[in-house]
């Protein structure tokens, strides 16, 4: 079917709808909304049989939706309406939610229903839910709706009249007056709901040391405490803030924009405060988390290690999947520790949401010398990946529970096995950030998918579903699991892997293969070649990287579809290498 995707952004959900419909053989075009006339032009040009809008902040003009069936994905259950659906659900502590696919008509979110799907709402941030439970439910509903449309005999259900029994919930935009935390009375549970409902955007507006900040992210803390509202500690860049009955960890902060100033962007909280306040920032104790906290502790840590017999699990989770120089170094240190343990299988990642999105573009943007910081960050990332590639005494599994992109996808590709949740999406390329890329991708990627497919993947710069990634060899196992089930499923699979009779044989074979590859071409040569090109990207004249990065971190609106999505780049499956 010829389908036109109309979206406010080529975001994770749009990418997933695009990639999954593409996997099913539909012919797809993407139009990023920038006004009614360009949309009319796109519809005229592509003559779609169906229009699907995975995320839309604008309305579709009447003449378009009367002439074409336009399906709108609404992140709310039957009867729910409004622009802050998921935010309200989290704010009010809903345990389950849903996604509805509606036909566009006069009333916003009021059209007839083509399909809907329910999902649980575990206590995590909004963007995490959006990329995981909501994304899974959206795909279920979109695929069903597209199938129904294709069959031609389905009548969508109007949201009124006989047979309509859902409660109507039409809720307004959730603004900062409602989101604001009252530190003098809000209990930890309430503070967490407010923080999570605004995570990762727009954040909760608050005042710290006399200045306005948006708070991003929120995790409970069960040991620390203090005067309500007071900052009591730092940990790995996050700040801990006391509540009336405990404390919460806040990993990131963003300054409120000042009139005429450039758009501030999110940074690790302690770093943001230090940059803004300098000497005025009161000394806060750094309270590191134990690498293996007791199971009943409620605290925040971005890197953790646990063992179950012959299997080690090195879990990491960084906001936005971004890994700064400091993150990479701490993870490498933890990796060294994990590799010193008597295990035969080491599982990396395995948590919910982003596996990794590569170097930390925000921290780089904030640095006094962004080129120098880019260089430090890519080298720290490479040190980690090199250590993974050179692990020859055990099997390393990358457990990709959420999306991975750029250097983060290559980090996974360095492992012996990549196990990917079926709902995760991979963007294994750097091109859109104006980078050649490193992380030994010129070694790992061709080894997995073949030289030709490696070039196609990195040049075409298209999202790849877990199923497609498996088909081309980028992923070894697709794990059919919900986001919450992923970790236990991986733990089970890893224990089976460690107990197979030939595990030692596999480790020996891997060691021999590494030695062979090293003799053919040392890893150091791959690194040197990649870094020579990255150095040019960072320091060379006329390179687009710095401008692209600045636009990315400041979320400058994309005024037109990225060049690789322009007409003529119809979606087709990535061929085998
Ligand atoms: N550095 C800093 N922040 C990053 C990041 C990075 N490398 N990658 C993603 N993020 C942040 C985004 O700014 C965004 O923040 P927000 O939640 O406050 O809006 C969040 O992570 C999610 O990213 P977003 O772009 O909204 O998700 P998406 O699903 O639409 O797109 C990517 C995912 C990975 C395709 C896109 O984020 C991207 O291109 N990232 C940059 C990858 C890259 O070039 N890395 C550097 C080279 S190794």
């Amino acid at each position: 079917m010829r389908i036109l995707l109309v979206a406010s952004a080529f975001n994770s959900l749009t990418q997933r709808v695009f990639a999954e419909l593409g996997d099913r053989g539909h012919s797809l075009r993407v139009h990023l909304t920038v006004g009614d006339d360009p949309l009319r032009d796109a519809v005229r040009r592509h003559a779609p049989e169906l229009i699907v809008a995975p995320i839309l902040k604008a309305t579709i003009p009447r003449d378009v939706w009367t002439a074409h069936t336009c399906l709108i994905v609404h992140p709310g259950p039957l009867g729910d309406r409004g622009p802050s659906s998921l935010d309200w659900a989290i704010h009010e502590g809903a345990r389950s939610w849903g996604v509805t696919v509606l036909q566009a008509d006069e009333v916003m979110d009021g059209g007839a229903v083509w399909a809907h799907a329910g999902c649980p709402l575990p206590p995590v941030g909004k963007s995490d839910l959006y990329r995981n439970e909501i994304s899974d439910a959206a795909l279920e509903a979109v695929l069903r709706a597209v199938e129904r449309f294709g069959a031609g005999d389905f009548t969508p259900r109007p949201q009124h009249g006989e047979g309509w029994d859902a409660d109507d919930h039409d809720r307004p935009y959730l603004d900062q007056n409602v989101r604001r935390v009252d530190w003098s009375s809000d209990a930890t549970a309430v503070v967490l709901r407010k923080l999570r409902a605004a995570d990762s955007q727009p954040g909760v507006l608050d005042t710290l040391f006399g200045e306005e900040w948006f708070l991003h992210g929120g995790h409970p803390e069960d040991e620390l405490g203090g005067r309500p509202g007071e900052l009591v500690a730092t940990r790995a860049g996050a700040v801990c803030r006391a509540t009336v009955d405990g404390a919460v960890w806040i990993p990131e902060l963003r300054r409120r924009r000042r009139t005429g100033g450039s758009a501030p962007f999110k940074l690790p909280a302690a770093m943001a405060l230090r940059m803004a306040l300098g000497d005025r920032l009161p000394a806060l104790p750094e309270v590191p988390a134990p690498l293996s906290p007791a199971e009943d502790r409620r605290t925040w840590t971005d890197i953790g290690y646990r063992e179950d017999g012959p299997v080690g699990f090195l879990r990491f989770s960084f906001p936005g999947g971004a890994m700064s120089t400091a993150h990479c170094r701490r993870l490498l240190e933890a990796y060294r520790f994990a590799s010193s343990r008597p295990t035969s299988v080491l599982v990396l990642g395995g948590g919910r949401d982003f596996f990794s999105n590569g170097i930390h573009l925000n921290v780089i943007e904030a640095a006094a010398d962004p080129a120098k910081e880019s260089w430090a960050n890519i080298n720290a990332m490479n040190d980690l990946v090199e250590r993974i590639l050179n692990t020859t005494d055990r099997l390393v599994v990358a457990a990709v529970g959420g999306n991975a992109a750029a250097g983060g996808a290559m980090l996974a590709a360095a492992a012996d096995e990549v196990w990917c949740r079926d709902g995760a999406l991979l963007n294994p390329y750097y091109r859109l950030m104006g980078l050649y890329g490193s992380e030994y991708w010129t070694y790992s990627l061709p080894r997995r998918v073949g030289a030709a497919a490696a070039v196609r993947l990195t040049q075409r710069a298209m999202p790849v579903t877990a199923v497609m990634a498996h088909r081309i060899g980028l992923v070894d196992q697709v794990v059919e699991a919900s986001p919450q089930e992923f970790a236990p499923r991986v733990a089970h699979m890893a224990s089976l892997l460690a107990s197979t009779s030939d595990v030692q044989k596999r480790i020996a074979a891997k060691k021999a293969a590494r030695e062979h590859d090293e003799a053919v071409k040392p890893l150091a040569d791959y690194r040197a070649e990649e870094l020579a090109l990255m150095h040019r990207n960072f320091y060379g004249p006329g390179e687009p990287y710095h401008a692209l990065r600045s636009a990315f971190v400041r979320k400058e609106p994309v005024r037109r579809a990225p060049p690789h999505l322009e007409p003529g780049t119809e979606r087709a499956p990535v061929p085998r290498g």
Side-chain angles (χ1 to χ4, degrees):
M1 196 187 306
R2 267 190 335 277
I3 302 176
L4 178 65
L5 297 186
V6 177
S8 308
F10 196 52
N11 74 344
S12 53
L13 183 57
T14 311
Q15 290 183 16
R16 186 157 169 216
V17 170
F18 175 78
E20 295 229 11
L21 287 174
D23 283 1
R24 285 161 179 78
H26 296 292
S27 157
L28 292 157
R29 294 292 172 90
V30 179
H31 176 78
L32 299 189
T33 44
V34 281
D36 289 356
D37 283 339
L39 173 58
R40 289 187 183 106
D41 283 351
V43 172
R44 222 171 290 127
R45 251 193 340 267
H46 302 316
E49 292 159 80
L50 177 66
I51 295 175
V52 177
I55 174 171
L56 200 56
K57 292 185 177 155
T59 50
I60 293 181
R62 179 174 231 285
D63 52 306
V64 173
W65 59 255
T66 46
H68 298 265
T69 302
C70 299
L71 302 183
I72 311 283
V73 178
H74 175 71
L78 286 177
D80 180 84
R81 266 168 240 151
S84 301
S85 221
L86 192 50
D87 309 50
W88 278 111
I90 302 166
H91 188 86
E92 291 173 350
R95 296 279 178 88
S96 59
W97 204 237
V99 174
T100 310
V101 174
L102 312 145
Q103 186 155 339
D105 82 354
E106 214 80 66
V107 183
M108 184 97 158
D109 302 329
V113 174
W114 278 81
H116 67 100
C119 64
L121 276 196
V124 298
K126 176 178 65 166
S127 302
D128 180 339
L129 289 168
Y130 183 77
R131 283 185 289 266
N132 291 287
E133 277 81 0
I134 294 293
S135 169
D136 286 359
L139 258 295
E140 188 186 328
V142 165
L143 294 177
R144 197 176 310 140
V146 169
E147 202 180 297
R148 285 172 172 170
F149 178 80
D153 57 359
F154 180 79
T155 308
R157 197 165 137 208
Q159 291 195 44
H160 47 74
E162 215 174 297
W164 180 258
D165 53 3
D167 291 341
D168 275 8
H169 278 286
D170 193 352
R171 286 184 288 193
Y173 179 73
L174 181 52
D175 70 29
Q176 290 292 343
N177 294 330
V178 185
R179 294 186 192 271
R180 193 171 274 279
V181 173
D182 183 345
W183 295 97
S184 67
S185 64
D186 284 348
T188 302
V190 176
V191 174
L192 285 173
R193 280 211 305 273
K194 289 182 174 177
L195 290 170
R196 286 174 177 151
D199 177 29
S200 60
Q201 297 293 344
V204 171
L205 186 59
D206 205 342
T207 306
L208 280 166
F209 305 107
E211 297 202 24
E212 286 192 297
W213 293 89
F214 288 95
L215 317 179
H216 293 274
H219 307 272
E221 163 59 37
D222 59 3
E223 283 185 354
L224 300 169
R227 199 156 39 82
E230 183 186 32
L231 295 188
V232 292
T234 59
R235 172 178 295 165
V239 290
C240 184
R241 197 163 184 189
T243 61
V244 287
D245 59 351
V248 293
W249 287 101
I250 300 167
E252 294 187 314
L253 294 175
R254 175 172 56 98
R255 243 178 151 158
R256 188 175 198 181
R257 188 175 194 159
R258 293 175 181 165
T259 328
S262 71
F265 46 90
K266 281 196 294 188
L267 284 172
M271 175 185 181
L273 288 175
R274 216 170 30 247
M275 286 178 66
L277 298 170
D279 294 344
R280 286 189 297 129
L281 179 64
L284 294 168
E286 173 75 10
V287 182
L291 190 56
S292 308
E295 289 215 345
D296 60 349
R297 281 243 26 216
R298 287 183 87 222
T299 191
W300 171 81
T301 156
D302 54 1
I303 298 175
Y305 179 76
R306 76 175 178 89
E307 242 167 62
D308 187 4
V311 186
F313 296 90
L314 182 56
R315 187 193 62 78
F316 55 91
S317 168
F318 305 111
M323 295 174 64
S324 68
T325 307
H327 290 137
C328 295
R329 290 191 181 141
R330 284 197 298 110
L331 188 53
L332 175 58
E333 198 182 310
Y335 188 92
R336 285 204 182 102
F337 169 77
S339 340
S340 72
R341 300 289 305 156
T343 57
S344 53
V345 173
L346 175 55
V347 178
L348 300 181
R352 293 176 51 97
D353 208 17
F354 285 128
F355 179 80
S356 167
N357 284 328
I359 57 176
H360 202 311
L361 300 169
N362 294 38
V363 168
I364 290 169
E365 184 68 18
D369 183 342
K372 192 172 164 198
E373 182 52 34
S374 303
W375 185 252
N377 202 159
I378 197 68
N379 273 286
M381 203 60 188
N382 281 356
D383 292 344
L384 172 65
V385 177
E386 191 245 356
R387 186 65 212 246
I388 296 169
L389 290 168
N390 272 326
T391 301
T392 51
D393 62 349
R394 68 200 73 211
L395 296 179
V396 180
V397 174
V400 181
N403 302 347
M410 306 310 175
L411 171 67
D416 302 308
E417 295 220 358
V418 180
W419 299 348
C420 191
R421 192 177 86 77
D422 54 356
L425 203 63
L426 303 175
N427 279 288
Y429 56 82
Y430 303 79
R431 192 164 78 85
L432 303 185
M433 203 49 68
L435 294 172
Y436 177 74
S438 194
E439 289 99 0
Y440 299 86
W441 76 264
T442 53
Y443 172 66
S444 307
L445 201 55
R447 207 165 53 120
R448 288 189 153 273
V449 302
V455 170
R456 273 194 293 274
L457 282 169
T458 48
Q459 288 305 309
R460 289 185 62 218
M462 290 290 188
V464 185
T465 57
V467 167
M468 182 58 74
H470 180 245
R471 218 174 286 166
I472 63 173
L474 184 54
V475 157
D476 300 286
Q477 297 219 41
V478 176
V479 184
E480 286 181 20
S482 72
Q484 291 294 86
E485 285 163 357
F486 183 70
R489 190 72 60 82
V490 162
H492 179 64
M493 288 166 63
S495 109
L496 289 180
L497 175 63
S499 63
T500 47
S501 55
D502 68 344
V503 69
Q504 290 307 327
K505 225 192 276 169
R506 286 190 60 184
I507 294 169
K510 134 183 196 179
K511 184 166 185 286
R514 179 81 281 285
E515 283 165 4
H516 169 269
D517 288 358
E518 188 67 14
V520 174
K521 179 172 173 178
L523 281 180
D525 289 3
Y526 288 97
R527 179 170 179 151
E529 287 165 11
E530 290 171 1
L531 286 182
L533 290 160
M534 286 292 264
H535 193 273
R536 197 187 296 165
N537 295 150
F538 297 156
Y539 288 98
E543 289 285 331
Y545 162 64
H546 296 291
L548 288 170
R549 187 194 62 238
S550 168
F552 175 80
V553 306
R554 293 188 168 81
K555 305 194 185 305
E556 284 174 13
V558 178
R559 301 247 168 252
R560 41 177 273 201
H564 70 304
L565 292 177
E566 294 276 89
T569 53
E570 207 159 329
R571 169 66 161 81
V574 180
R576 278 170 182 280

